[in-house]
Structures are given as C-alpha cells and as structure tokens.
Amino acid sequence: QSALTQPPSASGSPGQSVTISCTGTSNDIGAYKYVSWYQQHPGKAPKLLLYEVTKRPSEVPDRFSGSKSGNTASLTVSGLQAEDEAAYYCSSYAGLNNFHYVFGTGTTVTVL
Amino acid sequence: QVQLVQSGTEVKKPGASVNVSCKASGYPFKSYGVTWVRQAPGQGPEWLGSISPYNGNTYYAQKFQGRLTLTTDTSTTTVFMELRSLRSDDTAIYFCARLPPRRFDYWGQGTLVTVSS
C-alpha cells in the first residue's frame, strides 16, 4: 500500500487561507468516506483535526474544513494563525476486509 | 480524561526484539480498538497494525506480517507491541492511538526506538 501524496509545503499570511491536497487511489480515498487529517507540531504526537472527510472533533475550530472528490481529499485552513504552523497529514481507510490504513506524505504549513 | 501512556525509550541492536506498552485510561477499554503507528525521522506516519481489546482480533500491515505482534491485557488496560528482527530502518518513534471507527482520536506520547549496532 503506497503512501497518499501531499505537496511538501504550503504557506500563507495570517488571516489568509491555505488548501492542502491528498491524492490516493480508487482503493483508498476513492473507495471510502473515511479520510482523516492530523496536525503535528515538532516533537509532539499528531492531533486529529477532521474525520470522515468533513467532521471535526468538538475542540477543533471551524477554521479547519475538508472535502473529497474522486481519489483526492483536501484540507482547508481559513483565517491562518501563527499556531497553525505545523505538519499536516491525511490518512485513509484502505481495506474493508483487513482494516488497513494509509497515511499521506505530509505537508508543512508555514505562516508567513 | 482519555490518556494513552507509553513506555520509555528503547535502544536495541540489529536482530533484537522490542516491546512497547501503551496503558489506556479514561474510557471503556474494550469499546475501542488501538492502533500502532511509527514515524521515522523526518518522515510521515506509517500504520503498523491494530488490535481490538474486545476480542483480541489483530490486523497487521502486510509489510510487518510475521515480525509484529500486538496483544492486550484487559486487567491492566494495556496494549503491547512486539517488533522482532529489528533493522536500522526500524529506528522511529512508535505511537499508539485509540481507534474509534476509522480514525485515530487520542494518541500516546510516543516511544523512541533506536536500532544501532
């Protein structure tokens, strides 16, 4: 199972929006609605941002939103803030019978 | 509150085995799966496998079949990961995470495993 493809970097000024893509295949993103996104600050564990493409845990601000079309999912961070500077990873469920998962290659977001 | 607390740093020689524990608290242990993910230096996360504390069912990434074993101890609400025949490219931070359906919502703090001769 190959990793999902993300752009290595993205950037924006405070208050702007940035969108990160996550491209998989018809066996993972294209097959299921189970795409999740994680934020990771240096030296920390990943934190769940979105699940089932668009759902947010209660503690995650609505500046974070998600979408999916075909084999590609996207994360949009609106109203960029300094604390949004981090690495972002997508993940997809990839196996109905074997409960497998795959992660993305990661995107580092820089707030200019 | 939900917590997953992992065991400490490990240094192993090539060919050895490592055991990492993950103690869960703050939720009904048998109601959620636990997954293991590793992250090599400067790399993205990699899914290793998952286990259901309810029935002990395990699911392993094909890459780790035969080398990885996940187990649980429901009396201590602890999940264990054993990785055998270690190589230098197994050097990574290993994380456990709680697995409600199809997402990883709470993570352990991570355990650094270094494989070096």
Side-chain angles (χ1 to χ4, degrees):
Chain A
Q1 189 78 37
S2 299
L4 308 174
T5 301
Q6 299 179 233
S9 62
S11 63
S13 300
Q16 290 187 332
S17 295
V18 65
T19 296
I20 301 166
S21 63
C22 170
T23 301
T25 71
S26 58
N27 294 319
D28 39 64
I29 292 178
Y32 307 104
K33 64 176 182 179
Y34 302 118
V35 177
S36 52
W37 288 90
Y38 301 86
Q39 178 191 62
Q40 187 178 34
H41 289 105
K44 300 293 187 181
K47 172 189 172 184
L48 177 65
L49 285 180
L50 297 173
Y51 63 99
E52 292 179 15
V53 180
T54 60
K55 297 179 180 179
R56 279 179 291 107
S58 57
E59 68 274 16
V60 173
D62 59 7
R63 303 186 294 104
F64 296 90
S65 60
S67 63
K68 189 189 88 155
S69 177
N71 297 339
T72 299
S74 297
L75 167 71
T76 297
V77 186
S78 304
L80 269 174
Q81 299 181 3
E83 60 261 35
D84 298 333
E85 188 161 292
Y88 293 81
Y89 297 96
C90 58
S91 177
S92 176
Y93 182 61
L96 182 61
N97 296 317
N98 51 22
F99 299 93
H100 283 204
Y101 296 84
V102 61
F103 281 93
T105 51
T107 299
T108 299
V109 169
T110 302
V111 181
L112 302 171
Chain B
Q1 72 283 22
V2 175
Q3 279 194 306
L4 298 171
V5 179
Q6 300 181 222
S7 52
T9 298
E10 300 272 5
V11 179
K12 296 293 182 181
K13 295 195 180 301
S17 299
V18 68
N19 285 276
V20 180
S21 65
C22 171
K23 180 167 176 58
S25 61
Y27 70 94
F29 181 63
K30 289 185 177 182
S31 297
Y32 295 83
V34 172
T35 204
W36 288 85
V37 171
R38 76 179 185 182
Q39 193 168 24
Q43 303 296 312
E46 178 179 28
W47 180 77
L48 304 181
S50 301
I51 186 167
S52 165
Y54 175 74
N55 55 19
N57 286 352
T58 52
Y59 310 92
Y60 300 123
Q62 187 172 9
K63 176 179 178 179
F64 300 100
Q65 288 275 2
R67 209 161 65 94
L68 175 67
T69 300
L70 303 181
T71 55
T72 65
D73 181 342
T74 55
S75 67
T76 61
T77 65
T78 302
V79 179
F80 301 93
M81 181 207 73
E82 180 190 30
L83 187 63
R84 300 176 292 279
S85 302
L86 289 169
R87 308 185 288 256
S88 58
D89 63 359
D90 291 318
T91 294
I93 298 175
Y94 288 73
F95 294 98
C96 62
R98 196 178 75 161
L99 181 61
R102 314 298 184 254
R103 63 192 183 273
F104 316 123
D105 63 350
Y106 288 91
W107 295 65
Q109 82 276 21
T111 296
L112 174 62
V113 175
T114 301
V115 183
S116 174
S117 55

